[in-house]
Coordinates of all heavy atoms in Angstrom, one line a residue:
P1 N -35.9 -0.4 -1.6 CA -35.2 -1.1 -2.7 C -35.2 -0.3 -4.0 O -34.4 -0.5 -4.9 CB -35.8 -2.5 -2.8 CG -37.2 -2.3 -2.2 CD -37.1 -1.2 -1.2
Y2 N -36.3 0.5 -4.2 CA -36.5 1.1 -5.6 C -36.2 2.6 -5.6 O -36.1 3.2 -6.7 CB -37.9 0.8 -6.0 CG -38.2 -0.6 -6.1 CD1 -39.2 -1.2 -5.3 CD2 -37.6 -1.4 -7.1 CE1 -39.5 -2.6 -5.4 CE2 -37.9 -2.8 -7.2 CZ -38.8 -3.3 -6.3 OH -39.1 -4.7 -6.4
V3 N -36.1 3.2 -4.4 CA -35.8 4.7 -4.4 C -34.4 5.0 -3.7 O -33.6 5.6 -4.3 CB -36.9 5.4 -3.7 CG1 -36.6 6.9 -3.6 CG2 -38.2 5.2 -4.4
I4 N -34.3 4.4 -2.5 CA -33.1 4.8 -1.7 C -31.9 4.0 -2.2 O -30.8 4.6 -2.4 CB -33.4 4.5 -0.2 CG1 -34.5 5.4 0.3 CG2 -32.1 4.7 0.6 CD1 -34.9 5.2 1.8
Q5 N -32.0 2.7 -2.3 CA -30.8 1.8 -2.7 C -30.3 2.2 -4.1 O -29.1 2.2 -4.2 CB -31.2 0.4 -2.5 CG -31.3 -0.1 -1.1 CD -31.5 -1.6 -1.0 OE1 -31.7 -2.3 -1.9 NE2 -31.4 -2.1 0.3
P6 N -31.1 2.4 -5.1 CA -30.5 2.8 -6.4 C -29.7 4.1 -6.3 O -28.8 4.3 -7.1 CB -31.8 3.0 -7.3 CG -32.8 2.1 -6.7 CD -32.6 2.2 -5.2
K7 N -30.0 5.0 -5.3 CA -29.2 6.2 -5.2 C -27.9 5.9 -4.4 O -26.9 6.6 -4.6 CB -30.0 7.3 -4.4 CG -31.3 7.8 -5.2 CD -32.0 8.9 -4.4 CE -33.2 9.4 -5.2 NZ -32.8 10.0 -6.4
I8 N -28.0 4.9 -3.5 CA -26.8 4.5 -2.8 C -25.8 3.8 -3.7 O -24.6 4.1 -3.8 CB -27.2 3.6 -1.6 CG1 -28.0 4.3 -0.6 CG2 -25.9 3.0 -0.9 CD1 -28.5 3.5 0.5
Y9 N -26.3 2.8 -4.5 CA -25.5 2.1 -5.5 C -25.2 3.0 -6.7 O -26.1 3.6 -7.2 CB -26.2 0.8 -5.9 CG -26.2 -0.3 -4.8 CD1 -27.2 -0.3 -3.8 CD2 -25.2 -1.3 -4.8 CE1 -27.2 -1.3 -2.9 CE2 -25.2 -2.2 -3.8 CZ -26.2 -2.2 -2.9 OH -26.2 -3.2 -1.9
S10 N -24.0 3.0 -7.1 CA -23.6 3.8 -8.3 C -24.2 3.2 -9.5 O -24.5 2.0 -9.6 CB -22.1 3.9 -8.4 OG -21.5 2.7 -8.7
S11 N -24.2 3.9 -10.6 CA -24.7 3.4 -11.9 C -23.8 2.3 -12.4 O -24.3 1.5 -13.2 CB -24.8 4.6 -12.9 OG -23.5 5.1 -13.1
K12 N -22.6 2.2 -12.0 CA -21.7 1.2 -12.5 C -22.1 -0.2 -12.0 O -21.9 -1.2 -12.7 CB -20.2 1.5 -12.0 CG -19.6 2.7 -12.6 CD -18.1 2.8 -12.1 CE -17.5 4.0 -12.7 NZ -16.1 4.1 -12.3
I13 N -22.7 -0.3 -10.8 CA -23.0 -1.6 -10.3 C -24.5 -1.8 -10.1 O -24.9 -2.8 -9.5 CB -22.3 -1.8 -8.9 CG1 -22.6 -0.8 -7.9 CG2 -20.8 -1.9 -9.1 CD1 -22.1 -1.0 -6.6
N14 N -25.3 -0.8 -10.6 CA -26.7 -1.0 -10.5 C -27.2 -2.1 -11.3 O -27.0 -2.2 -12.5 CB -27.4 0.3 -10.9 CG -28.9 0.3 -10.6 OD1 -29.3 -0.3 -9.6 ND2 -29.7 1.0 -11.4
L15 N -28.0 -3.1 -10.7 CA -28.4 -4.3 -11.4 C -30.0 -4.4 -11.3 O -30.5 -4.0 -10.2 CB -27.8 -5.5 -10.8 CG -26.3 -5.6 -11.0 CD1 -25.7 -6.7 -10.0 CD2 -25.9 -6.0 -12.4
S16 N -30.6 -4.9 -12.3 CA -32.0 -5.1 -12.3 C -32.4 -6.2 -11.3 O -31.6 -7.1 -11.0 CB -32.6 -5.4 -13.7 OG -32.1 -6.7 -14.1
I17 N -33.6 -6.2 -10.8 CA -34.0 -7.2 -9.8 C -34.0 -8.6 -10.5 O -33.8 -9.6 -9.8 CB -35.4 -6.9 -9.3 CG1 -35.9 -7.9 -8.2 CG2 -36.5 -6.8 -10.4 CD1 -37.1 -7.6 -7.5
M18 N -34.2 -8.7 -11.8 CA -34.2 -10.0 -12.5 C -32.9 -10.7 -12.4 O -32.8 -11.8 -12.0 CB -34.6 -9.8 -14.0 CG -34.6 -11.1 -14.7 SD -34.8 -10.9 -16.5 CE -33.2 -10.2 -16.9
W19 N -31.8 -9.9 -12.6 CA -30.5 -10.5 -12.5 C -30.1 -10.8 -11.1 O -29.4 -11.8 -10.9 CB -29.4 -9.5 -13.2 CG -29.5 -9.5 -14.7 CD1 -30.0 -8.5 -15.5 CD2 -29.1 -10.6 -15.5 NE1 -29.9 -8.9 -16.8 CE2 -29.4 -10.1 -16.9 CE3 -28.6 -11.8 -15.3 CZ2 -29.1 -10.9 -18.0 CZ3 -28.3 -12.6 -16.4 CH2 -28.6 -12.2 -17.7
V20 N -30.5 -10.0 -10.2 CA -30.2 -10.2 -8.8 C -30.9 -11.5 -8.3 O -30.2 -12.4 -7.7 CB -30.7 -9.0 -7.9 CG1 -30.5 -9.4 -6.4 CG2 -29.9 -7.8 -8.2
L21 N -32.1 -11.7 -8.6 CA -32.8 -12.9 -8.2 C -32.3 -14.1 -8.9 O -32.2 -15.2 -8.4 CB -34.3 -12.8 -8.5 CG -35.1 -11.7 -7.7 CD1 -36.5 -11.6 -8.1 CD2 -34.9 -12.0 -6.2
F22 N -31.9 -14.0 -10.2 CA -31.3 -15.1 -11.0 C -30.0 -15.5 -10.3 O -29.7 -16.7 -10.2 CB -31.1 -14.7 -12.4 CG -30.3 -15.7 -13.2 CD1 -30.8 -16.8 -13.6 CD2 -28.9 -15.4 -13.4 CE1 -30.1 -17.8 -14.3 CE2 -28.2 -16.4 -14.1 CZ -28.7 -17.5 -14.6
G23 N -29.2 -14.5 -9.9 CA -27.9 -14.8 -9.3 C -28.1 -15.5 -7.9 O -27.3 -16.4 -7.6
I24 N -29.1 -15.0 -7.2 CA -29.3 -15.7 -5.9 C -29.8 -17.1 -6.1 O -29.3 -18.0 -5.4 CB -30.4 -14.9 -5.1 CG1 -29.8 -13.5 -4.7 CG2 -30.8 -15.6 -3.8 CD1 -30.9 -12.6 -4.1
L25 N -30.7 -17.3 -7.0 CA -31.2 -18.7 -7.3 C -30.0 -19.6 -7.8 O -29.9 -20.7 -7.3 CB -32.3 -18.6 -8.3 CG -32.9 -20.0 -8.7 CD1 -33.5 -20.7 -7.5 CD2 -33.9 -19.8 -9.8
A26 N -29.2 -19.1 -8.7 CA -28.1 -19.9 -9.3 C -27.1 -20.2 -8.2 O -26.5 -21.3 -8.1 CB -27.5 -19.1 -10.4
G27 N -26.8 -19.1 -7.4 CA -25.8 -19.3 -6.3 C -26.2 -20.3 -5.3 O -25.4 -21.2 -4.8
S28 N -27.5 -20.3 -4.9 CA -28.0 -21.2 -3.9 C -28.0 -22.6 -4.5 O -27.8 -23.6 -3.7 CB -29.4 -20.8 -3.4 OG -30.3 -20.9 -4.5
T29 N -28.3 -22.8 -5.8 CA -28.4 -24.1 -6.4 C -27.0 -24.7 -6.5 O -26.8 -25.9 -6.2 CB -29.0 -24.0 -7.8 OG1 -30.3 -23.4 -7.7 CG2 -29.1 -25.4 -8.4
L30 N -26.0 -23.9 -6.8 CA -24.6 -24.4 -7.0 C -23.8 -24.6 -5.7 O -23.1 -25.5 -5.6 CB -23.9 -23.5 -8.0 CG -24.4 -23.4 -9.4 CD1 -23.7 -22.4 -10.2 CD2 -24.3 -24.8 -10.1
F31 N -24.0 -23.6 -4.8 CA -23.1 -23.5 -3.6 C -23.9 -23.5 -2.3 O -23.3 -23.3 -1.3 CB -22.2 -22.3 -3.7 CG -21.4 -22.3 -5.0 CD1 -21.7 -21.3 -6.0 CD2 -20.4 -23.2 -5.2 CE1 -21.0 -21.2 -7.1 CE2 -19.7 -23.1 -6.4 CZ -20.0 -22.1 -7.4
G32 N -25.2 -23.7 -2.3 CA -26.0 -23.7 -1.1 C -26.1 -22.3 -0.5 O -26.1 -21.3 -1.2
P33 N -26.3 -22.2 0.8 CA -26.5 -20.9 1.5 C -25.4 -19.9 1.2 O -25.7 -18.7 1.0 CB -26.5 -21.3 3.0 CG -26.9 -22.7 3.0 CD -26.3 -23.3 1.8
W34 N -24.1 -20.3 1.2 CA -23.0 -19.4 0.9 C -23.1 -18.9 -0.5 O -22.6 -17.7 -0.8 CB -21.7 -20.1 1.1 CG -21.3 -20.2 2.6 CD1 -21.3 -21.3 3.3 CD2 -21.0 -19.1 3.5 NE1 -20.9 -21.0 4.6 CE2 -20.7 -19.6 4.7 CE3 -20.8 -17.7 3.3 CZ2 -20.4 -18.9 5.8 CZ3 -20.5 -16.9 4.4 CH2 -20.3 -17.5 5.6
G35 N -23.7 -19.6 -1.4 CA -23.9 -19.1 -2.8 C -24.8 -17.9 -2.9 O -24.6 -17.1 -3.7
M36 N -25.8 -17.9 -2.0 CA -26.7 -16.7 -2.0 C -25.9 -15.5 -1.5 O -26.2 -14.4 -1.9 CB -27.9 -17.0 -1.1 CG -28.7 -18.3 -1.5 SD -30.0 -18.7 -0.3 CE -31.2 -17.3 -0.7
V37 N -24.9 -15.7 -0.6 CA -24.2 -14.6 0.0 C -23.2 -14.0 -1.1 O -23.1 -12.8 -1.2 CB -23.4 -15.0 1.2 CG1 -22.5 -13.9 1.7 CG2 -24.4 -15.5 2.3
I38 N -22.5 -14.9 -1.8 CA -21.5 -14.4 -2.8 C -22.1 -14.1 -4.1 O -21.4 -13.7 -5.0 CB -20.4 -15.5 -3.0 CG1 -21.0 -16.7 -3.6 CG2 -19.7 -15.8 -1.6 CD1 -19.9 -17.8 -3.9
A39 N -23.5 -14.3 -4.3 CA -24.1 -14.1 -5.6 C -23.9 -12.6 -6.1 O -23.5 -12.4 -7.2 CB -25.6 -14.4 -5.5
M40 N -24.2 -11.6 -5.2 CA -24.1 -10.2 -5.7 C -22.6 -9.9 -6.1 O -22.4 -9.3 -7.2 CB -24.6 -9.3 -4.6 CG -26.1 -9.1 -4.6 SD -26.7 -8.4 -6.2 CE -26.0 -6.7 -6.0

């Protein structure tokens, strides 16, 4: 997650783990399991 994936993902869409986890938590709260999938 910290060496390989940042090289795979371009700088345009690189996101910090804080925002990713926040998105997953918000998505699951609002839309359930599918919210975790569409969060990113």
